Amino acid sequence: MTHARPDEIIITAAIVGAEVTRDDTPHLPITAEELALEAKRCHDAGASVIHLHAREPDGRATQSKERFQEAIDAIRKTTDVIIQTSTGGAVGMSVEERLGPLHCKPDMATLNCGSVNFGDEIFENSRPQMRMIAERIKKAGVVPELEIYEVGHLDNAMALAKEGLISAPFHIQFVLGIAGAVGARPEVLRFLVSQLPKDSTWGVAAVGRHQMPMAELASELGGNVRVGLEDNIYLEKGVLAEGSAPLVARAVAIARSRGREPVTTARAREILGLVAHV
Ligand code: KMH
Ligand code: ZN
């Protein structure tokens, strides 16, 4: 890993997620081909990381290794973008089910660092579940990104580090504004940043209308940014984004206006300590 320069920024595109449906937006990619096309569009627009979920052909969220393998193979045919698979899946999935994508040699995988209200449901990540997921990510030789939805999740993550299940440097994503969890407010992000372990990379993924304002603040504070349909389907009020690429383009413009330049995939690999994919 090499430290990012202050003017460098990593943009992640969360192109599909597990909750958004075609009824919500007709621009949601579902098949492997659609996911690959969207990944390439996002990469061309300035994203160096794709946060990936998968869907069955009928649109249902799945963590099946077959669906992920198809999507990953299709993406890798068109771009060298960093592929970060979800181990969160959809609310209610078993941990074993959630681990499916780890069989597909992704570059990175999410590690959700605590249970959290998720709309009217609960996204479960008990300590035994977190340990199990962290162990499996480690065993698969995949670099984790720590998903932090609440302040205590940072403490949970450090407890995992004490147990030797994850190690520095940590890559941290603050996911803010989920209904039922802490709001995407500037003072919340500033506080979370003040609590970061030394030498961590960090970014923010804010939900809905908070996506771009938080991208602005993260750009100002030296963080990275995640945008995409998983977190927000609108380019502006009442205007659906035609896929995640326009949201990436917007985030790139915001970053540049704050003196930050999106890095290439190769540079992102250096910053995140990833080996080149073979
Ligand atoms: N779909 C959410 C319940 C992750 O990708 O690891 C969880 C999620 C987090 O999307
Ligand atoms: Zn996700």
Side-chain angles (χ1 to χ4, degrees):
M1 177 184 166
T2 61
H3 288 292
R5 293 192 315 268
D7 63 330
E8 293 179 312
I9 188 167
I10 296 173
I11 309 272
T12 295
I15 61 177
V16 56
E19 284 79 25
V20 177
T21 69
R22 274 275 168 86
D23 288 340
D24 297 324
T25 172
H27 306 295
L28 189 74
I30 286 177
T31 66
E33 290 65 36
E34 289 166 351
L35 289 166
L37 194 65
E38 192 54 38
K40 168 126 179 49
R41 288 176 73 218
C42 289
H43 184 230
D44 291 348
S48 47
V49 179
I50 298 294
H51 171 72
L52 189 67
H53 286 250
R55 302 294 182 103
E56 296 293 351
D58 65 4
R60 270 179 307 127
T62 177
Q63 291 288 103
S64 104
K65 67 175 181 209
E66 290 77 18
R67 291 285 96 80
F68 268 88
Q69 195 64 63
E70 283 169 14
I72 290 172
D73 288 348
I75 292 170
R76 286 200 171 131
K77 266 191 207 141
T78 61
T79 147
D80 66 346
V81 70
I82 292 165
I83 299 178
Q84 176 199 84
T85 52
S86 171
T87 65
V91 169
M93 287 179 174
S94 71
V95 168
E96 203 50 51
E97 189 177 4
R98 284 164 54 177
L99 294 173
L102 291 181
H103 297 284
C104 305
K105 297 195 189 325
D107 299 291
M108 300 183 84
T110 56
L111 173 56
N112 292 277
C113 292
S115 298
V116 61
N117 290 317
F118 206 92
D120 290 347
E121 302 177 290
I122 296 177
F123 178 34
E124 260 190 74
N125 296 284
S126 69
R127 293 184 346 134
Q129 287 171 333
M130 283 189 288
R131 286 189 194 107
M132 186 170 155
I133 296 170
E135 257 167 26
R136 294 281 287 276
I137 291 174
K138 193 172 172 185
K139 205 163 147 211
V142 174
V143 173
E145 179 185 89
L146 310 179
E147 310 299 298
I148 305 294
Y149 303 79
E150 295 280 7
V151 177
H153 293 180
L154 270 178
D155 298 272
N156 290 344
M158 292 312 104
L160 291 175
K162 269 209 182 110
E163 292 177 26
L165 294 169
I166 56 173
S167 51
F170 304 109
H171 305 303
I172 292 176
Q173 188 73 266
F174 296 122
V175 186
L176 301 181
I178 301 279
V182 75
R185 294 187 294 277
E187 57 274 28
V188 170
L189 182 60
R190 286 179 193 279
F191 178 74
L192 287 167
V193 170
S194 78
Q195 302 298 303
L196 281 167
K198 200 168 159 281
D199 286 340
S200 307
T201 71
W202 68 275
V204 68
V207 172
R209 66 189 167 82
H210 301 290
Q211 187 166 78
M212 293 306 162
M214 283 289 123
E216 276 178 32
L217 184 56
S219 298
E220 284 164 17
L221 298 178
N224 300 311
V225 168
R226 174 174 119 179
V227 293
L229 295 187
E230 173 167 345
D231 306 324
N232 163 46
I233 60 174
Y234 292 103
L235 193 56
E236 45 203 75
K237 198 171 185 315
V239 181
L240 287 172
E242 295 188 0
S244 296
L247 296 166
V248 170
R250 180 71 58 89
V252 167
I254 288 171
R256 285 190 174 137
S257 75
R258 268 60 177 183
R260 312 279 307 281
E261 185 61 27
V263 295
T264 62
T265 296
R267 180 65 183 139
R269 281 184 190 281
E270 286 176 5
I271 294 167
L272 297 168
L274 305 174
V275 289
H277 183 74
V278 283

